PDB file of all heavy atoms in Angstrom:
ATOM      1  N   GLN A  52       6.213  -2.671 -16.978  1.00  0.00           N
ATOM      2  CA  GLN A  52       6.985  -3.838 -16.599  1.00  0.00           C
ATOM      3  C   GLN A  52       7.041  -4.793 -17.814  1.00  0.00           C
ATOM      4  O   GLN A  52       6.153  -4.778 -18.617  1.00  0.00           O
ATOM      5  CB  GLN A  52       6.446  -4.541 -15.375  1.00  0.00           C
ATOM      6  CG  GLN A  52       6.575  -3.792 -14.103  1.00  0.00           C
ATOM      7  CD  GLN A  52       6.099  -4.527 -12.943  1.00  0.00           C
ATOM      8  OE1 GLN A  52       5.384  -5.547 -13.083  1.00  0.00           O
ATOM      9  NE2 GLN A  52       6.508  -4.100 -11.715  1.00  0.00           N
ATOM     10  N   VAL A  53       8.080  -5.554 -17.886  1.00  0.00           N
ATOM     11  CA  VAL A  53       8.165  -6.529 -19.010  1.00  0.00           C
ATOM     12  C   VAL A  53       7.090  -7.516 -18.948  1.00  0.00           C
ATOM     13  O   VAL A  53       7.021  -8.334 -17.908  1.00  0.00           O
ATOM     14  CB  VAL A  53       9.571  -7.235 -19.011  1.00  0.00           C
ATOM     15  CG1 VAL A  53       9.658  -8.251 -20.148  1.00  0.00           C
ATOM     16  CG2 VAL A  53      10.726  -6.173 -19.122  1.00  0.00           C
ATOM     17  N   PRO A  54       6.169  -7.551 -19.892  1.00  0.00           N
ATOM     18  CA  PRO A  54       5.111  -8.561 -19.866  1.00  0.00           C
ATOM     19  C   PRO A  54       5.517  -9.919 -20.372  1.00  0.00           C
ATOM     20  O   PRO A  54       6.640  -9.997 -20.903  1.00  0.00           O
ATOM     21  CB  PRO A  54       4.012  -7.889 -20.831  1.00  0.00           C
ATOM     22  CG  PRO A  54       4.860  -7.182 -21.771  1.00  0.00           C
ATOM     23  CD  PRO A  54       6.118  -6.682 -21.049  1.00  0.00           C
ATOM     24  N   SER A  55       4.647 -10.882 -20.214  1.00  0.00           N
ATOM     25  CA  SER A  55       4.908 -12.177 -20.800  1.00  0.00           C
ATOM     26  C   SER A  55       4.903 -11.941 -22.356  1.00  0.00           C
ATOM     27  O   SER A  55       4.079 -11.139 -22.850  1.00  0.00           O
ATOM     28  CB  SER A  55       3.821 -13.197 -20.468  1.00  0.00           C
ATOM     29  OG  SER A  55       3.894 -13.385 -19.103  1.00  0.00           O
ATOM     30  N   PHE A  56       5.763 -12.633 -23.059  1.00  0.00           N
ATOM     31  CA  PHE A  56       5.752 -12.502 -24.508  1.00  0.00           C
ATOM     32  C   PHE A  56       5.979 -13.884 -25.137  1.00  0.00           C
ATOM     33  O   PHE A  56       6.437 -14.824 -24.511  1.00  0.00           O
ATOM     34  CB  PHE A  56       6.853 -11.507 -24.938  1.00  0.00           C
ATOM     35  CG  PHE A  56       8.213 -11.787 -24.499  1.00  0.00           C
ATOM     36  CD1 PHE A  56       9.030 -12.653 -25.113  1.00  0.00           C
ATOM     37  CD2 PHE A  56       8.691 -11.118 -23.306  1.00  0.00           C
ATOM     38  CE1 PHE A  56      10.298 -12.903 -24.601  1.00  0.00           C
ATOM     39  CE2 PHE A  56       9.928 -11.382 -22.807  1.00  0.00           C
ATOM     40  CZ  PHE A  56      10.734 -12.268 -23.521  1.00  0.00           C
ATOM     41  N   VAL A  57       5.577 -13.936 -26.363  1.00  0.00           N
ATOM     42  CA  VAL A  57       5.717 -15.187 -27.124  1.00  0.00           C
ATOM     43  C   VAL A  57       6.863 -14.984 -28.122  1.00  0.00           C
ATOM     44  O   VAL A  57       6.797 -14.081 -28.990  1.00  0.00           O
ATOM     45  CB  VAL A  57       4.455 -15.493 -27.939  1.00  0.00           C
ATOM     46  CG1 VAL A  57       4.585 -16.734 -28.790  1.00  0.00           C
ATOM     47  CG2 VAL A  57       3.276 -15.608 -26.952  1.00  0.00           C
ATOM     48  N   PRO A  58       7.951 -15.831 -28.069  1.00  0.00           N
ATOM     49  CA  PRO A  58       9.009 -15.732 -29.049  1.00  0.00           C
ATOM     50  C   PRO A  58       8.494 -15.986 -30.454  1.00  0.00           C
ATOM     51  O   PRO A  58       7.552 -16.827 -30.612  1.00  0.00           O
ATOM     52  CB  PRO A  58       9.932 -16.826 -28.557  1.00  0.00           C
ATOM     53  CG  PRO A  58       9.579 -17.205 -27.218  1.00  0.00           C
ATOM     54  CD  PRO A  58       8.082 -16.872 -27.047  1.00  0.00           C
ATOM     55  N   VAL A  59       9.106 -15.391 -31.413  1.00  0.00           N
ATOM     56  CA  VAL A  59       8.750 -15.568 -32.789  1.00  0.00           C
ATOM     57  C   VAL A  59       9.829 -16.359 -33.504  1.00  0.00           C
ATOM     58  O   VAL A  59      11.004 -15.945 -33.465  1.00  0.00           O
ATOM     59  CB  VAL A  59       8.442 -14.277 -33.482  1.00  0.00           C
ATOM     60  CG1 VAL A  59       8.157 -14.491 -35.002  1.00  0.00           C
ATOM     61  CG2 VAL A  59       7.390 -13.424 -32.787  1.00  0.00           C
ATOM     62  N   PRO A  60       9.472 -17.524 -34.087  1.00  0.00           N
ATOM     63  CA  PRO A  60      10.504 -18.332 -34.728  1.00  0.00           C
ATOM     64  C   PRO A  60      11.210 -17.604 -35.911  1.00  0.00           C
ATOM     65  O   PRO A  60      10.592 -16.740 -36.510  1.00  0.00           O
ATOM     66  CB  PRO A  60       9.812 -19.538 -35.239  1.00  0.00           C
ATOM     67  CG  PRO A  60       8.498 -19.558 -34.526  1.00  0.00           C
ATOM     68  CD  PRO A  60       8.245 -18.129 -34.132  1.00  0.00           C
ATOM     69  N   GLN A  61      12.397 -17.942 -36.132  1.00  0.00           N
ATOM     70  CA  GLN A  61      13.175 -17.439 -37.303  1.00  0.00           C
ATOM     71  C   GLN A  61      13.376 -15.916 -37.202  1.00  0.00           C
ATOM     72  O   GLN A  61      13.400 -15.143 -38.242  1.00  0.00           O
ATOM     73  CB  GLN A  61      12.456 -17.749 -38.687  1.00  0.00           C
ATOM     74  CG  GLN A  61      12.292 -19.234 -38.839  1.00  0.00           C
ATOM     75  CD  GLN A  61      13.664 -19.994 -38.814  1.00  0.00           C
ATOM     76  OE1 GLN A  61      14.577 -19.611 -39.477  1.00  0.00           O
ATOM     77  NE2 GLN A  61      13.716 -21.101 -38.085  1.00  0.00           N
ATOM     78  N   THR A  62      13.563 -15.356 -35.968  1.00  0.00           N
ATOM     79  CA  THR A  62      13.845 -13.968 -35.809  1.00  0.00           C
ATOM     80  C   THR A  62      15.228 -13.861 -35.147  1.00  0.00           C
ATOM     81  O   THR A  62      15.680 -14.777 -34.506  1.00  0.00           O
ATOM     82  CB  THR A  62      12.781 -13.228 -34.984  1.00  0.00           C
ATOM     83  OG1 THR A  62      12.634 -13.879 -33.752  1.00  0.00           O
ATOM     84  CG2 THR A  62      11.455 -13.211 -35.719  1.00  0.00           C
ATOM     85  N   LYS A  63      15.834 -12.681 -35.255  1.00  0.00           N
ATOM     86  CA  LYS A  63      17.119 -12.421 -34.666  1.00  0.00           C
ATOM     87  C   LYS A  63      17.007 -12.524 -33.114  1.00  0.00           C
ATOM     88  O   LYS A  63      15.944 -12.281 -32.553  1.00  0.00           O
ATOM     89  CB  LYS A  63      17.664 -11.120 -35.100  1.00  0.00           C
ATOM     90  CG  LYS A  63      17.861 -11.122 -36.610  1.00  0.00           C
ATOM     91  CD  LYS A  63      18.358  -9.797 -37.101  1.00  0.00           C
ATOM     92  CE  LYS A  63      18.615  -9.954 -38.690  1.00  0.00           C
ATOM     93  NZ  LYS A  63      18.707  -8.681 -39.293  1.00  0.00           N
ATOM     94  N   ALA A  64      18.125 -12.890 -32.489  1.00  0.00           N
ATOM     95  CA  ALA A  64      18.147 -13.086 -31.055  1.00  0.00           C
ATOM     96  C   ALA A  64      17.670 -11.890 -30.185  1.00  0.00           C
ATOM     97  O   ALA A  64      17.116 -12.017 -29.202  1.00  0.00           O
ATOM     98  CB  ALA A  64      19.528 -13.528 -30.546  1.00  0.00           C
ATOM     99  N   TRP A  65      17.885 -10.697 -30.700  1.00  0.00           N
ATOM    100  CA  TRP A  65      17.520  -9.461 -30.020  1.00  0.00           C
ATOM    101  C   TRP A  65      16.034  -9.151 -30.072  1.00  0.00           C
ATOM    102  O   TRP A  65      15.492  -8.369 -29.344  1.00  0.00           O
ATOM    103  CB  TRP A  65      18.356  -8.285 -30.411  1.00  0.00           C
ATOM    104  CG  TRP A  65      18.311  -7.981 -31.922  1.00  0.00           C
ATOM    105  CD1 TRP A  65      19.267  -8.382 -32.802  1.00  0.00           C
ATOM    106  CD2 TRP A  65      17.274  -7.253 -32.617  1.00  0.00           C
ATOM    107  NE1 TRP A  65      18.873  -7.914 -34.090  1.00  0.00           N
ATOM    108  CE2 TRP A  65      17.672  -7.256 -34.007  1.00  0.00           C
ATOM    109  CE3 TRP A  65      16.167  -6.540 -32.298  1.00  0.00           C
ATOM    110  CZ2 TRP A  65      16.927  -6.611 -34.957  1.00  0.00           C
ATOM    111  CZ3 TRP A  65      15.365  -5.972 -33.211  1.00  0.00           C
ATOM    112  CH2 TRP A  65      15.754  -5.981 -34.549  1.00  0.00           C
ATOM    113  N   PHE A  66      15.319  -9.823 -30.984  1.00  0.00           N
ATOM    114  CA  PHE A  66      13.896  -9.632 -31.108  1.00  0.00           C
ATOM    115  C   PHE A  66      13.202 -10.610 -30.199  1.00  0.00           C
ATOM    116  O   PHE A  66      13.216 -11.781 -30.347  1.00  0.00           O
ATOM    117  CB  PHE A  66      13.413  -9.886 -32.546  1.00  0.00           C
ATOM    118  CG  PHE A  66      11.922  -9.614 -32.700  1.00  0.00           C
ATOM    119  CD1 PHE A  66      11.442  -8.291 -32.712  1.00  0.00           C
ATOM    120  CD2 PHE A  66      11.038 -10.609 -32.783  1.00  0.00           C
ATOM    121  CE1 PHE A  66      10.085  -8.020 -32.858  1.00  0.00           C
ATOM    122  CE2 PHE A  66       9.667 -10.349 -32.931  1.00  0.00           C
ATOM    123  CZ  PHE A  66       9.208  -9.095 -32.956  1.00  0.00           C
ATOM    124  N   GLU A  67      12.705 -10.136 -29.026  1.00  0.00           N
ATOM    125  CA  GLU A  67      12.197 -10.952 -27.957  1.00  0.00           C
ATOM    126  C   GLU A  67      10.868 -11.659 -28.336  1.00  0.00           C
ATOM    127  O   GLU A  67      10.670 -12.755 -27.971  1.00  0.00           O
ATOM    128  CB  GLU A  67      11.958 -10.129 -26.704  1.00  0.00           C
ATOM    129  CG  GLU A  67      13.278  -9.709 -26.044  1.00  0.00           C
ATOM    130  CD  GLU A  67      14.097 -10.923 -25.454  1.00  0.00           C
ATOM    131  OE1 GLU A  67      13.569 -11.971 -25.260  1.00  0.00           O
ATOM    132  OE2 GLU A  67      15.303 -10.676 -25.323  1.00  0.00           O
ATOM    133  N   GLY A  68      10.064 -10.968 -29.077  1.00  0.00           N
ATOM    134  CA  GLY A  68       8.769 -11.540 -29.440  1.00  0.00           C
ATOM    135  C   GLY A  68       7.606 -10.644 -29.385  1.00  0.00           C
ATOM    136  O   GLY A  68       7.828  -9.397 -29.427  1.00  0.00           O
ATOM    137  N   ILE A  69       6.436 -11.171 -29.332  1.00  0.00           N
ATOM    138  CA  ILE A  69       5.203 -10.420 -29.279  1.00  0.00           C
ATOM    139  C   ILE A  69       4.526 -10.517 -27.923  1.00  0.00           C
ATOM    140  O   ILE A  69       4.445 -11.569 -27.331  1.00  0.00           O
ATOM    141  CB  ILE A  69       4.232 -10.953 -30.372  1.00  0.00           C
ATOM    142  CG1 ILE A  69       4.913 -10.996 -31.760  1.00  0.00           C
ATOM    143  CG2 ILE A  69       2.936 -10.190 -30.369  1.00  0.00           C
ATOM    144  CD1 ILE A  69       5.248  -9.631 -32.275  1.00  0.00           C
ATOM    145  N   ALA A  70       4.093  -9.359 -27.401  1.00  0.00           N
ATOM    146  CA  ALA A  70       3.414  -9.307 -26.139  1.00  0.00           C
ATOM    147  C   ALA A  70       2.001  -8.670 -26.287  1.00  0.00           C
ATOM    148  O   ALA A  70       1.823  -7.776 -27.073  1.00  0.00           O
ATOM    149  CB  ALA A  70       4.217  -8.516 -25.132  1.00  0.00           C
TER     150      ALA A  70
END
Side-chain angles (χ1 to χ4, degrees):
Q52 289 186 342
V53 178
S55 298
F56 53 85
V57 177
V59 178
Q61 302 301 313
T62 57
K63 294 179 180 163
W65 55 264
F66 184 76
E67 290 293 339
I69 304 296

